[in-house]
Amino acid sequence: MSAEIIAIVLSAVGLFLTLGGTMVAGFAWCIRRSDSLRTDLVGVETSLGVRIDGVEQRLTARIDGVEEKLTARIDGV
């Protein structure tokens, strides 16, 4: 084999290893990023759950108040 063919083969192997390493590193970064996003979403989900529960309680109280007023008005008439 000539020196040019050996140089081409070594260059191709080096390029293949570089691209493969870059792809593995990129995939690892995506996995790490999605794990941190999931951790952030747990906190958001908890705070939203608390807010939704508060709104639900206030809405229930408001509906009950309106129902009592209507019942009193209907019974009073």
Side-chain angles (χ1 to χ4, degrees):
M1 279 207 274
S2 68
E4 290 86 11
I5 293 177
I6 293 173
I8 290 172
V9 170
L10 288 177
S11 296
V13 169
L15 183 63
F16 179 74
L17 290 176
T18 302
L19 288 176
T22 304
M23 288 178 62
V24 169
F27 184 68
W29 178 82
C30 289
I31 296 297
R32 190 180 70 230
R33 182 76 179 140
S34 66
D35 286 345
S36 68
L37 182 63
R38 183 176 301 144
T39 303
D40 292 344
L41 287 177
V42 169
V44 170
E45 182 180 352
T46 302
S47 67
L48 280 178
V50 170
R51 288 179 62 189
I52 289 171
D53 289 342
V55 169
E56 183 180 5
Q57 290 172 357
R58 289 194 313 263
L59 185 59
T60 301
R62 185 175 176 184
I63 290 171
D64 290 344
V66 170
E67 183 180 8
E68 289 173 9
K69 288 179 184 178
L70 286 176
T71 302
R73 190 169 186 184
I74 290 171
D75 291 343
V77 172

